[in-house]
Amino acid sequence: MSQRQIPEASVARLPLYLRALIDRAEAGVESMSSGELAAAAGVNSAKIRKDLSYLGSYGTRGVGYDVEYLIAQISRELGLTQDWSTVLVGAGNLGQALANYGGFADRGFRIAAILDADPAKVGMTVAGVEVFHQDQAERIIREEDVAIAILAVPGDAAQEVADRLVEAGVTSILNFAPAVIQVPEGVSLRKVDLSIELQILAYYEQRRLVSDDLANGAVRRHLDGLPD
Amino acid sequence: MSQRQIPEASVARLPLYLRALIDRAEAGVESMSSGELAAAAGVNSAKIRKDLSYLGSYGTRGVGYDVEYLIAQISRELGLTQDWSTVLVGAGNLGQALANYGGFADRGFRIAAILDADPAKVGMTVAGVEVFHQDQAERIIREEDVAIAILAVPGDAAQEVADRLVEAGVTSILNFAPAVIQVPEGVSLRKVDLSIELQILAYYEQRRLVSDDLANGAVRRHLDGLPD
């Protein structure tokens, strides 16, 4: 792992490169230029070269980056060369979908236990993982050496559950609950809002409608009263 | 809507500002400085001021941004002042969780129909939405004026399903399937990889382990053979 702290925005792009590289490696590709990696990861190539330079990777002129080597380097940098124990909190629809989602285990994120506040769910097995009562959180986090928790609880329960997990020793929370939560300094928090990406698509859809209208002469039909 | 095309990275941040603003509006806050918005959205304040300047919003010195006005402006810019019909393809665990996820409808994304290739799932109702056979895709997309499709199919089916949706007139795809898919130019594609955020958390977890080790004198215990 590089000694240097990598800028947060660059860290957030490393998984995108990793996904693109693994995809190409599976297709038998052995090296990629920054331009090819840019097309596959959806990031411009100057940014990619900059991001990878933090890892000490500069590629070889005329050859590009060695795919397997770069996969190993990014995996190591991201901490994916070790397995991580996680707890998944919430055994509702979303929690069950997440437990069944193969992509976590593939990347070394093992769900050690599912926790739920509902006694009726305790003892269920989802994707081979047992559901425990939330009261067992402290014990399980300690015994399974869990640092990362995945929150899939209702929005109004999210802050209270997060507080309890942090109290029990969790230092990273991935929040799928539809609520903004606060964590103390020193605890990492990432939020997944499944509607964010839809909103981005809506922007481009609206652009399409407007340019169709412009093409049809029906200028500003979609625009309402707000000033530009 | 502003006439000017906003940079892609800025578009991608607008939903983050919108979420933070709505959260504060619900708490009764009427104005926010760029610094407060920065803290709530997790983006630095210079970037926020730049992004909002594309919308023609500059705030008022000493007062900040008017929360309700900025919500209206961002919503209009993102195309959220109209409702969007979507189809959700895949009625498995993830598809069902997505159908049940309230966050889509809250933002004006109505799921007009759920499609699945499995005849056994046809006729089911998930979160009040009927499941149709995938063969009905063309008809439903036409009749319901669907521009946006949400893909929650197995990875190996994703490309074929995407091709068919595009053929039927869909111009935006939100891909939850664990596969890289290609779409023709003029079609928007966003990919949600639920493990990406976990990988980012793993980076910071690993940093913590290393700094604990450094503190304990057990320098480089976690580092393997790759050169820096």
Side-chain angles (χ1 to χ4, degrees):
Chain A
M1 197 175 77
S2 58
Q3 294 303 303
R4 182 174 177 179
Q5 180 91 18
I6 302 177
E8 203 169 326
S10 300
V11 171
R13 285 188 292 266
L14 293 180
L16 307 178
Y17 306 152
L18 185 61
R19 183 175 61 197
L21 288 161
I22 289 173
D23 181 58
R24 288 308 189 273
E26 282 169 358
V29 172
E30 291 180 1
S31 65
M32 285 177 87
S33 68
S34 57
E36 289 164 337
L37 191 50
V43 175
N44 81 57
S45 55
K47 201 164 269 177
I48 289 182
R49 285 192 300 272
K50 177 83 178 157
D51 288 343
L52 296 180
S53 74
Y54 294 120
L55 278 61
S57 249
Y58 298 93
T60 305
R61 188 172 294 275
V63 177
Y65 295 95
D66 182 290
V67 169
E68 285 298 341
Y69 183 78
L70 197 50
I71 288 173
Q73 221 180 4
I74 295 177
S75 299
R76 192 179 61 131
E77 192 68 37
L78 284 173
L80 306 180
T81 48
Q82 67 174 105
D83 283 346
W84 295 96
S85 288
T86 70
V87 286
L88 169 62
V89 190
N93 278 297
L94 185 57
Q96 292 194 37
L98 293 172
N100 278 294
Y101 180 71
F104 294 158
D106 287 354
R107 293 285 185 275
F109 297 98
R110 185 181 72 92
I111 299 174
I114 302 171
L115 299 166
D116 202 282
D118 178 2
K121 295 215 172 87
V122 173
M124 274 175 53
T125 299
V126 183
V129 182
E130 194 176 342
V131 179
F132 293 88
H133 193 272
Q134 218 162 271
D135 285 347
Q136 301 294 306
E138 288 76 8
R139 180 185 62 78
I140 290 167
I141 286 165
R142 191 179 57 242
E143 288 179 7
E144 301 274 351
D145 198 16
V146 170
I148 302 174
I150 303 168
L151 272 200
V153 297
D156 56 8
Q159 184 65 60
E160 193 187 328
V161 170
D163 290 345
R164 186 165 178 184
L165 292 167
V166 168
E167 189 69 29
V170 160
T171 44
S172 285
I173 293 179
L174 178 58
N175 182 24
F176 283 93
V180 175
I181 60 173
Q182 308 290 333
V183 292
E185 193 157 331
V187 175
S188 301
L189 172 69
R190 303 285 304 185
K191 166 109 179 91
V192 179
D193 179 339
L194 300 173
S195 78
I196 291 268
E197 299 288 332
L198 275 177
Q199 295 178 45
I200 296 168
L201 289 172
Y203 172 82
Y204 294 103
E205 280 302 325
Q206 174 168 258
R207 285 269 156 192
R208 273 186 203 101
L209 288 180
V210 172
S211 50
D212 288 354
D213 280 356
L214 287 169
N216 296 337
V219 182
R220 301 188 67 85
R221 181 159 60 87
H222 288 280
L223 311 182
D224 61 29
L226 283 173
D228 275 317
Chain B
M1 198 174 76
S2 59
Q3 294 302 304
R4 182 172 177 179
Q5 179 89 20
I6 303 177
E8 202 168 327
S10 299
V11 171
R13 285 188 291 267
L14 292 180
L16 306 179
Y17 305 152
L18 184 60
R19 183 175 59 197
L21 287 161
I22 290 173
D23 181 58
R24 287 310 188 272
E26 282 169 358
V29 173
E30 292 181 359
S31 64
M32 285 177 87
S33 68
S34 57
E36 288 164 338
L37 192 50
V43 175
N44 81 56
S45 55
K47 198 164 271 177
I48 290 181
R49 286 193 299 272
K50 176 85 178 158
D51 289 342
L52 296 180
S53 74
Y54 293 121
L55 278 60
S57 250
Y58 299 94
T60 305
R61 188 173 294 274
V63 178
Y65 296 94
D66 182 289
V67 170
E68 285 298 342
Y69 183 79
L70 196 49
I71 287 173
Q73 221 179 3
I74 295 177
S75 298
R76 192 178 60 130
E77 193 67 39
L78 284 173
L80 305 180
T81 49
Q82 66 174 107
D83 283 345
W84 296 97
S85 288
T86 70
V87 286
L88 169 63
V89 191
N93 278 296
L94 184 57
Q96 293 194 36
L98 292 172
N100 279 294
Y101 180 72
F104 294 158
D106 287 354
R107 293 284 185 275
F109 298 98
R110 184 181 71 91
I111 298 174
I114 302 171
L115 299 166
D116 202 283
D118 179 2
K121 295 215 172 89
V122 173
M124 274 174 53
T125 299
V126 183
V129 182
E130 193 177 341
V131 179
F132 294 88
H133 193 270
Q134 218 161 274
D135 284 348
Q136 302 293 306
E138 288 77 8
R139 180 185 64 76
I140 291 166
I141 287 166
R142 191 179 58 241
E143 288 178 7
E144 301 275 350
D145 198 17
V146 170
I148 302 175
I150 302 167
L151 273 200
V153 298
D156 55 9
Q159 184 64 59
E160 194 186 328
V161 170
D163 290 345
R164 186 165 178 184
L165 292 167
V166 169
E167 188 70 30
V170 160
T171 44
S172 285
I173 294 178
L174 178 59
N175 182 25
F176 283 93
V180 175
I181 60 174
Q182 308 290 332
V183 293
E185 193 157 333
V187 175
S188 301
L189 172 69
R190 302 285 303 185
K191 167 108 179 93
V192 179
D193 179 340
L194 300 173
S195 77
I196 292 268
E197 299 289 332
L198 275 178
Q199 295 176 47
I200 296 167
L201 289 173
Y203 172 81
Y204 294 103
E205 281 301 325
Q206 174 167 259
R207 285 269 155 191
R208 273 186 203 101
L209 288 180
V210 172
S211 49
D212 287 354
D213 280 357
L214 287 169
N216 296 337
V219 183
R220 300 186 67 85
R221 180 159 61 86
H222 288 280
L223 311 181
D224 61 29
L226 284 173
D228 275 317

